[in-house]
Amino acid sequence: MRANNPELRSWIDVPEDSDFPIQNLPYGIFQTADRSPRAGIAIGDKILDLAALQEKGYFQSLNIRNGTFQQDSLNEFIGLGKEVTNEFRNYTSNLLRSDNAELRDREDVDKMLVDQKEATMLMPVRIRDYTDFYSSEQHAFNVGSMFRDPDNALLPNWKHLPVGYHGRASSIIISDTPIKRPKGQTRADGQEMPAFGASRLLDFELEMGFITCKENPLGSSISTAEAENYIFGFVLFNDWSARDIQKWEYVPLGPFLAKNFASSISPWIVTLEALDPFRVPGDKQDPQVLPYLEFEGDKNFDVNLEVAIQPDGSSENTVTRSNFRHMYWNVNQQLAHHTVNGCNIGICDIYASGTISGPTPDTYGSMLELSWRGTKPVKMPDGSERKFIQDGDTVIMRGHASRDGVRVGFGEVRTKVLPAD
Ligand code: CA
């Protein structure tokens, strides 16, 4: 039975609203008071401790070195490639099936399982390189309308190539890591001289990121047909953005200090294979793309996304609901474009989607768009208003796909904003 078959059930109890049924099996790195950093798989409210299993002699039939899971990143495991990691996924799925007694009936089974609430999640990978795309048409249209010209909101290249820029890997952080409001140069409208100070227009960007599992040699390219052999899985991605810094600095070379102070990711990497049942066609691409960007099959994913803002000492307010399916350029095209000039990608690079905005104002993926550049404050359910993110706010992103009674989710990425120094 395939690991994402909706009929599968685990002997581990999985609450109905859980993001982590046996069909998901996402990977992360965790530690507890008495367990050093190690790899695990989320299942229901538990974590399957892969290091503990390997110590007991599991996985010996697979081509996986002892110690692979007893470290603070998944890079070695992910770098084994799809053939091994897919076999591993099937192996662990089988081990967790309700009708398999091998692990279930062991006397020491509790030693291989950890309560998620007792674990601290760490960065799942050492990120080698980071690129951010700009692949949602509605987002590009909204930003182009606000900052340039509503009649020519998309620049002439936008529907011919997946626009992107090279970001900074060093400041990508795990969920639950607070950030400080960034400082920098801004220039107010009508002023001749810039000023220095804390950003006043701090924003989130609702994105997804994919993590790669294979290298291509420098000078070679990856076709859209081959791209999925290079994609291990996905995380939620909050591309923090300081709009006032961005506005002053971004011409002519694009985002720099407005973006590289922090990007937050969710801790569980949901594999491409777990998302396979949730494929949907993307919107029709018109004009026709160049041959190297053509593709076959359904390459978008139906993943519900939402963002909530929790003011200090208050409750959560959901401010937008979007969906990963709203991508004009799909991940196969992004990777094909990125490498068409011979650029090499590596193992555990991350490629973010760009802000994912849906077609209606309540589905936009940033406060910039939701508040339309601050002109329409967002009324939150608790009665307060937001144009941008305030000190003390916690921004929470969540995502899940759902079909045939199976919910495959990402958990959340949660980040509190602290005042500038
Ligand atoms: Ca972005």
Side-chain angles (χ1 to χ4, degrees), residues 130 132-133 165 205 207 239 241 259 354-355:
Y130 158 45
D132 194 19
F133 285 99
Y165 69 94
E205 290 191 334
E207 307 194 16
D239 180 23
S241 300
K259 301 277 191 175
T355 308

Side-chain angles (χ1 to χ4, degrees), residues 19 54 282 308 332 396 399 418:
D19 280 348
Q54 194 169 37
N332 300 57
I396 306 148
L418 306 177

